[in-house]
Amino acid sequence: FAGKPDERTMSRLKELYAQAKRPDDALSPVSGSSLVAIARQCGPDEVREVLDRIAEFADIRSDPERDDWESDDIFAALDNLTTILCAVPDGTLPAVLEGLESDCDEVRYRVARALGDRRDKLAATALEQALGTERLDHVRRALSAALASSKS
């Protein structure tokens, strides 16, 4: 992504995530309300990091040597990252929209899902443009659903 954050900025998302975990149980999952709290503290750099993490998990998921037990963890991580994208502040929307131009179809799919909840004119315009160029059926379906939802 253009304007990729440097390592100092990228560590902030990890810090926010670590703060949301229960101190007595480092392996516990982060609750939905905690994910929303993380999202509310995100700026454009953290949003770009979320997009990067989605691409990384998609790459890991495609590895044929991955263990089956990892699949559940990967899908949970992708869902958590999507939840964060759904709840980031409105001022970060341009950074979220960058994900519609990603080379990674999982990023485009997850961004489309997140944008459907926003009901934002800028998001609707970006979804329409992305729908005009998207070639993959599953991403097209997500874009169409998000566009319909954003206009209702």
Side-chain angles (χ1 to χ4, degrees), residues 4-15 45-46 49:
K4 189 172 182 177
D6 64 28
E7 289 299 322
R8 290 181 317 250
T9 306
M10 289 178 67
S11 66
R12 185 160 185 266
L13 184 64
K14 289 180 187 177
E15 287 174 27
D45 289 334
E46 288 77 26
E49 184 179 357

Side-chain angles (χ1 to χ4, degrees), residues 46-109:
E46 288 77 26
V47 168
R48 290 183 188 102
E49 184 179 357
V50 168
L51 299 175
D52 288 343
R53 297 289 172 251
I54 291 171
E56 288 172 11
F57 281 117
D59 190 45
I60 292 168
R61 189 180 64 194
S62 67
D63 181 357
E65 298 196 17
R66 168 186 44 79
D67 291 326
D68 286 339
W69 63 267
E70 290 177 306
S71 292
D72 290 342
D73 291 340
I74 292 169
F75 281 109
L78 288 168
D79 285 343
N80 286 350
L81 292 167
T82 304
T83 298
I84 291 171
L85 284 180
C86 288
V88 294
D90 290 341
T92 64
L93 184 59
V96 175
L97 295 177
E98 290 175 19
L100 292 174
E101 299 175 12
S102 173
D103 292 338
C104 177
D105 62 293
E106 188 72 32
V107 172
R108 296 190 311 273
Y109 171 80

Side-chain angles (χ1 to χ4, degrees), residues 78-151:
L78 288 168
D79 285 343
N80 286 350
L81 292 167
T82 304
T83 298
I84 291 171
L85 284 180
C86 288
V88 294
D90 290 341
T92 64
L93 184 59
V96 175
L97 295 177
E98 290 175 19
L100 292 174
E101 299 175 12
S102 173
D103 292 338
C104 177
D105 62 293
E106 188 72 32
V107 172
R108 296 190 311 273
Y109 171 80
R110 298 283 171 168
V111 168
R113 284 187 47 204
L115 290 175
D117 292 339
R118 288 189 105 50
R119 290 174 179 62
D120 180 279
K121 192 171 194 158
L122 180 61
T125 300
L127 288 164
E128 283 178 345
Q129 290 173 346
L131 189 56
T133 59
E134 183 59 54
R135 300 285 180 238
L136 297 175
D137 287 339
H138 74 286
V139 179
R140 287 184 61 77
R141 285 190 299 273
L143 289 165
S144 293
L147 185 57
S149 189
S150 71
K151 289 184 173 182

